């Protein structure tokens, strides 16, 4: 008994929470599985790129100068240009007193003439950093550093981690070689040399116990599943590169401008100078988030970023984080991201469930998408990459699931409503019932409610005698024709057929949409009497047809009463019907069967005193008397409504 009561208490809420669980956590779990399989990774990368493109670009970092080798430079000095030319370039830069010089091109082999002069310059300078390539790629294997710089430890790796879509979003601070040694990247090494010459920077005090820390910024290493990444190669010490912007983030000059004396020493002094190829023929270019427009199409101009620019962005990020407290791009732990995704989809499911009966669900969904996008963008401005794409899919997916779930519930409710009402009410009444279904339905059935209605009972006169004279099969066909015709008349007058009982019809006017105003109750009573008169006319038409076919003709009796009833579902969980009970039902039944000797022609119509009060003046009515109906203790006035058609034969 306790379990049954508990189930009854829980049942009204189960359909709600079942839908919310499916559209909220259910959808979130599916999305998290798809995310874990990497199927949503391209979408999350695309969102990340859009945030970068939408974000205001940082001011140009004047601590870095790029000396680019252009196509014009190659035409003038050859490709590759010789060591003599490079030595002359480095001497000019050295004399201008920069903090560090990075060579973003390979010089592991001599390019005569001038190799001896270049080697002497490498030996004498502590500011020149060369590069080497440690990780083989499709174009080739490892590439060694300049031997002299390698002996002095002035070498950085220029390997870059390329994402699956061919774009650069990450950068290396350190790379672990095959022997387990940690090798700094070119960009980081240049930044470190710059910081060591800052008076307010204390490198000994900036070491985090577990991770690299410069100033107040901790460089947490990139993990394989950070942000929107799934099983990425997180080898070495990587970070998400916080680009300053697209082209123009750094001052650039050409090799010719420096060698021709067009670049003053003041433009070089106290800066990091990066020297690298800008000529397309040297093919040192990469796709980045800035290689596309806001809508995802590739740019028509310079689509790719040069490798020397990429190294400049890394150098700038490290310096800016240490000195300017410029934020790094960070991500939440995986558990936080999962909770965030489940929370959004669940909240959307709850809101959508609450709005299922109202308009504006689509606007709320669009508002949620906009809000989520704004939150993600605002967080990105502060250096946080939080999930946006997956929760957006959760909002849309949850809406789809909830819409289908609500539609399924409505189908079930409609089936239940039509099971209760659909057989014997008009389409207008059925639609109104459906519109008010949430007020009518409770616990899968209609609870009993008090109402004032008009009940109409009909019965065929002398049907028992007639049934003895006709075989069962033709009798059933004949009776169905009669019942169908009477039902059409009832529905035409907006009545509801409660049941067929043998040859009797019980109809009700005023349910299931209950009446409260006297005018409404009066309209129902008038409709019931007019329905009885139309039944008489319909029966006259049926009799004409039956007589022509040689079938029996009949007369009928009608009893009508108006008053209080109880309306609701009656029966068991396996079979139930919508019906009415009450004194007015009994009165209408007694009026129909009252004193069968009282004649009324083709259709005798008797009404109660309460019905008479509502219909007087509308129909020809006469008082039969103050009589005691069967089963009642007090006499009551009954009235007869006169109908014109008369029976053509004796019954």
């Amino acid at each position: 008994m306790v379990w049954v009561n508990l189930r009854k208490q829980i049942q009204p809420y189960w359909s709600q929470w079942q839908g919310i669980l499916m559209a909220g956590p259910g959808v979130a779990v599916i999305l998290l599985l798809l995310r874990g399989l990497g199927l949503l990774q391209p979408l999350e990368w695309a969102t990340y790129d859009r945030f970068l493109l939408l974000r205001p670009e940082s001011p140009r970092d004047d601590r870095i100068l790029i000396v680019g080798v252009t196509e014009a430079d190659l035409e003038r000095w050859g490709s590759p240009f010789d060591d003599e030319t490079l030595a002359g370039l480095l001497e000019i830069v050295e004399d201008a007193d920069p903090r560090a010089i990075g060579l973003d091109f390979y010089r592991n082999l001599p390019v005569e003439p001038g190799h001896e002069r270049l080697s002497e310059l490498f030996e004498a300078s502590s500011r020149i950093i060369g590069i080497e390539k440690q990780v083989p790629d499709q174009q080739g294997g490892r590439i060694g550093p300049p031997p002299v710089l390698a002996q002095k430890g002035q070498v950085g790796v220029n390997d870059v981690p390329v994402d699956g879509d061919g774009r650069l979003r990450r950068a290396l601070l350190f790379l672990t070689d095959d022997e387990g040694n940690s090798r700094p990247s070119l960009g980081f090494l240049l930044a470190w040399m710059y910081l060591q010459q800052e008076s307010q920077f204390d490198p000994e005090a900036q070491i985090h116990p577990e991770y690299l820390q410069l100033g107040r910024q901790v460089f947490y290493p990139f993990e394989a599943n950070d942000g929107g990444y799934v099983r990425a190669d997180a080898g070495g010490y990587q970070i998400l590169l916080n680009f300053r912007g697209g082209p123009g983030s750094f001052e650039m000059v050409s090799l010719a401008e420096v060698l021709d004396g067009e670049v003053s020493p003041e433009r070089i002094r106290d800066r990091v100078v990066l020297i690298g190829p800008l000529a397309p023929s040297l093919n040192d270019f990469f796709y980045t988030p800035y290689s596309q427009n806001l809508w995802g199409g590739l740019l028509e101009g310079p689509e790719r970023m040069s490798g020397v620019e990429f190294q400049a962005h890394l150098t700038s990020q490290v310096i800016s984080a240490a000195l300017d407290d410029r934020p790094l791009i960070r991500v939440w732990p995986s558990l936080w991201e999962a909770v965030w995704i489940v929370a959004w989809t669940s909240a959307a499911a709850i809101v959508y469930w609450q709005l299922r009966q109202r308009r504006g669900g689509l606007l709320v969904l669009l508002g949620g998408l906009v809000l989520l996008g704004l939150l993600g963008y605002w967080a990105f401005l502060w250096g946080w990459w939080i999930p946006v794409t997956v929760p957006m899919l959760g909002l849309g997916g949850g809406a789809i699931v909830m819409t289908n779930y609500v539609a399924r519930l409505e189908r079930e409710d409609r089936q239940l409503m039509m099971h209760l009402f659909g057989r014997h009410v008009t389409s207008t009444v059925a639609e109104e019932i459906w519109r008010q279904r949430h007020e009518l339905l409770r616990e899968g059935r209609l609870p009993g409610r008090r109402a004032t209605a008009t009940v109409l009972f009909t019965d065929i006169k002398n049907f028992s005698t007639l049934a003895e004279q006709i075989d069962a099969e033709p009798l059933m066909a004949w009776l169905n024709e009669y019942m169908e015709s009477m039902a059409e008349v009832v529905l035409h007058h907006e009545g509801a057929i409660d049941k067929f009982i043998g040859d009797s019809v019980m109809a009700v006017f005023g349910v299931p949409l209950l009446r409260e105003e006297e005018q409404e109750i009066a309209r129902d009573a008038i409709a019931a009497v007019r329905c009885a008169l139309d039944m008489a006319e319909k029966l006259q038409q049926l009799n004409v047809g039956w007589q022509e076919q040689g079938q029996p003709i009949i007369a009928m009796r009608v009893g009508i009463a108006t008053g209080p009833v109880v309306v609701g579902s009656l029966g068991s969980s396996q079979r139930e019907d919508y019906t009415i009970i009450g004194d007015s039902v009994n009165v209408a039944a007694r009026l129909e069967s009252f004193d069968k000797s009282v004649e009324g022609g083709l259709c005798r119509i008797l009404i109660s005193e309460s019905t008479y009060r509502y219909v007087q003046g509308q129909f020809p009515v006469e008082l039969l008397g103050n009589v005691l109906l069967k089963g009642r203790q007090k006499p009551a006035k009954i009235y007869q409504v006169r109908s014109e058609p008369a029976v053509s034969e004796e019954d």
Side-chain angles (χ1 to χ4, degrees):
M1 181 62 69
V2 174
W3 167 248
V4 173
N5 293 334
L6 181 61
R7 182 181 178 185
K8 288 183 177 180
Q9 294 176 6
I10 296 175
Q11 186 65 32
Y13 304 100
W14 171 239
S15 62
Q16 170 184 347
W17 288 108
Q18 186 180 34
I20 291 174
L21 289 173
M22 286 192 302
V27 171
V29 168
I30 294 174
L31 289 174
L32 288 173
L33 289 175
L34 294 176
R35 191 179 194 235
L37 294 173
L39 300 179
L40 304 181
Q41 186 173 241
L43 294 177
E44 298 199 86
W45 284 344
T47 302
Y48 180 89
D49 294 348
R50 297 305 172 278
F51 285 164
L52 276 175
L53 293 171
L54 286 170
R55 185 185 65 175
E57 294 189 1
S58 301
R60 191 171 73 175
D61 193 345
D62 291 329
R63 292 171 294 210
I64 297 175
L65 174 68
I66 295 177
V67 178
V69 180
T70 66
E71 290 292 351
D73 295 330
L74 295 180
E75 291 177 3
R76 181 174 173 182
W77 283 284
S79 177
F81 55 90
D82 54 44
D83 290 349
E84 185 73 25
T85 304
L86 178 56
L89 172 66
L90 292 176
E91 287 174 354
I92 294 174
V93 175
E94 274 273 4
D95 291 342
D97 195 25
R99 292 199 183 185
I101 304 171
L103 299 180
D104 191 28
F105 51 83
Y106 301 108
R107 242 353 180 232
N108 56 320
L109 298 175
V111 182
E112 298 292 356
H115 180 65
E116 183 177 351
R117 178 185 174 189
L118 180 62
S119 298
E120 291 175 355
L121 183 60
F122 284 166
E123 185 68 39
S125 176
S126 61
R127 288 185 282 210
I128 300 176
I129 305 298
I131 60 169
E132 64 177 335
K133 181 176 178 58
Q134 282 287 324
V135 181
D137 56 20
Q138 295 178 351
Q139 283 70 40
R142 296 180 176 87
I143 301 176
V148 176
L149 294 179
Q151 292 175 2
K152 298 175 62 179
Q154 294 175 210
V155 174
V157 297
N158 74 332
D159 297 276
V160 291
V162 181
D163 289 335
D165 61 351
R167 286 183 169 84
L168 292 182
R169 299 180 180 90
R170 297 170 284 150
L172 277 166
L173 296 180
F174 298 93
L175 179 65
T176 304
D177 61 20
D178 295 339
E179 298 176 359
N181 299 317
S182 181
R183 296 176 177 271
S185 66
L186 173 63
F188 176 77
L189 194 53
L190 293 173
W192 183 255
M193 293 175 66
Y194 184 95
L195 292 174
Q196 285 182 315
Q197 299 176 52
E198 281 289 316
S199 58
Q200 70 270 30
F201 180 77
D202 182 4
E204 297 298 328
Q206 310 301 320
I207 299 177
H208 191 274
E210 297 180 8
Y211 308 113
L212 174 68
Q213 179 178 347
L214 301 176
R216 292 187 297 177
Q217 294 289 351
V218 178
F219 291 75
Y220 293 101
F222 173 83
E223 301 293 342
N225 294 304
D226 275 358
Y229 284 89
V230 179
R231 297 182 299 277
D233 182 1
Y237 201 119
Q238 301 180 31
I239 59 171
L240 289 167
L241 185 57
N242 192 5
F243 293 90
R244 298 192 72 88
S249 298
F250 308 98
E251 182 182 2
M252 291 187 183
V253 297
S254 68
L255 173 64
E257 288 177 296
V258 177
L259 291 177
D260 293 342
E262 297 177 11
V263 179
S264 65
E266 288 74 16
R267 295 173 64 183
I268 300 176
R269 184 172 296 114
D270 212 31
R271 301 172 81 177
V272 173
V273 179
L274 269 159
I275 305 172
L278 295 180
S281 62
L282 296 179
N283 198 30
D284 186 26
F285 291 87
F286 300 92
Y287 287 105
T288 70
Y290 293 94
S291 299
Q292 57 190 330
N293 58 35
L294 189 58
W295 309 109
L298 291 177
L299 297 172
E300 296 181 359
E303 299 174 355
R304 298 180 296 171
M305 180 179 291
S306 65
V308 68
E309 285 182 271
F310 185 82
Q311 296 296 336
H313 278 285
L314 175 56
T315 303
S316 175
Q317 177 167 343
V318 175
I319 296 174
S320 299
L323 300 182
D324 307 333
D325 205 26
R326 183 170 181 258
L328 305 169
I329 296 181
R330 295 159 290 178
V331 298
W332 283 346
S334 298
L335 178 60
W336 290 17
E337 292 185 337
V339 171
W340 170 259
I341 293 169
V342 173
W344 269 97
T345 53
S346 299
I350 293 172
V351 171
Y352 198 84
W353 174 266
Q354 296 298 325
L355 294 175
R356 70 191 185 281
Q357 300 177 32
R358 306 187 186 102
R359 296 180 179 179
L362 180 59
L363 292 178
V364 172
L365 174 62
L366 293 176
L369 294 174
V370 171
L371 176 61
L372 182 55
L374 291 176
L375 287 174
Y377 178 65
W378 177 81
F380 197 79
L381 292 177
W382 289 92
W384 288 98
W385 180 19
I386 64 175
V388 172
T389 303
V390 179
M392 282 185 172
L393 293 175
L395 291 180
I400 293 173
V401 171
M402 187 61 79
T403 299
N404 291 332
Y405 180 72
V406 170
R408 193 196 79 185
L409 290 182
E410 289 187 352
R411 286 195 299 270
E412 293 176 354
D413 287 350
R414 182 181 284 273
Q415 290 174 359
L416 176 59
M417 298 294 286
M418 292 303 103
H419 171 73
L420 295 173
F421 301 112
R423 297 173 300 168
H424 309 309
V425 297
T426 65
S427 59
T428 302
V429 174
E431 288 301 321
E432 184 65 17
I433 292 171
W434 179 244
R435 190 179 66 83
Q436 299 185 20
R437 65 190 182 280
H438 299 289
E439 289 75 22
L440 295 173
L441 280 170
R442 293 292 185 276
E443 299 182 8
R445 64 170 61 198
L446 291 171
R449 297 195 296 172
R450 296 186 62 84
T452 301
T454 298
V455 184
L456 179 150
F457 263 95
T458 73
D459 190 62
I460 297 176
K461 187 177 180 180
N462 296 326
F463 178 75
S464 299
T465 303
L466 184 65
E468 294 177 355
Q469 300 172 359
I470 305 176
D471 292 338
E473 187 173 343
L475 176 64
M476 184 64 70
W478 175 84
L479 186 60
N480 278 331
E481 183 180 1
Y482 164 78
M483 291 293 189
E484 184 174 350
S485 298
M486 295 303 108
E488 289 178 356
V489 176
V490 172
L491 297 179
H492 176 73
H493 289 279
E494 302 294 334
I497 295 179
D498 184 277
K499 60 176 67 72
F500 297 104
I501 310 171
D503 63 316
S504 300
V505 178
M506 176 181 171
V508 190
F509 297 80
V511 296
L513 307 178
L514 307 186
R515 316 302 193 189
E516 297 180 358
E517 303 293 333
E518 284 293 306
Q519 291 181 344
E520 296 177 330
I521 298 172
R523 282 198 297 268
D524 290 333
I526 294 171
V529 175
R530 186 167 285 119
C531 176
L533 293 172
D534 287 352
M535 282 179 166
E537 292 184 9
K538 187 65 175 179
L539 182 58
Q540 175 67 17
Q541 298 173 11
L542 290 173
N543 278 337
V544 171
W546 289 335
Q547 192 171 27
E548 292 177 352
Q549 298 170 13
Q551 296 183 0
I553 59 175
I554 58 172
M556 61 188 294
R557 296 184 297 269
V558 178
I560 301 175
T562 303
V565 296
V566 177
V567 56
S569 296
L570 185 66
S572 67
S573 59
Q574 285 75 31
R575 179 177 176 81
E576 60 182 355
D577 283 313
Y578 178 82
T579 188
I580 60 172
I581 58 175
D583 187 58
S584 297
V585 179
N586 297 330
V587 171
R590 298 296 182 261
L591 288 173
E592 177 273 314
S593 61
F594 173 74
D595 193 356
K596 298 181 180 179
S597 63
V598 176
E599 291 297 330
L602 181 66
C603 180
R604 189 192 75 179
I605 305 173
L606 301 184
I607 64 175
S608 68
E609 182 177 7
S610 58
T611 302
Y612 172 74
R613 288 199 300 268
Y614 289 113
V615 304
Q616 59 180 328
Q618 301 288 327
F619 308 97
V621 179
E622 65 179 38
L623 175 65
L624 286 187
N626 197 28
V627 301
L628 184 65
L629 296 175
K630 182 180 179 181
R632 301 185 66 82
Q633 298 179 351
K634 294 182 180 181
K637 293 180 180 180
I638 62 174
Y639 298 80
Q640 184 172 7
V641 179
R642 294 298 181 181
S643 59
E644 296 301 327
V647 182
S648 59
E649 288 188 11
E650 292 294 326
D651 292 329

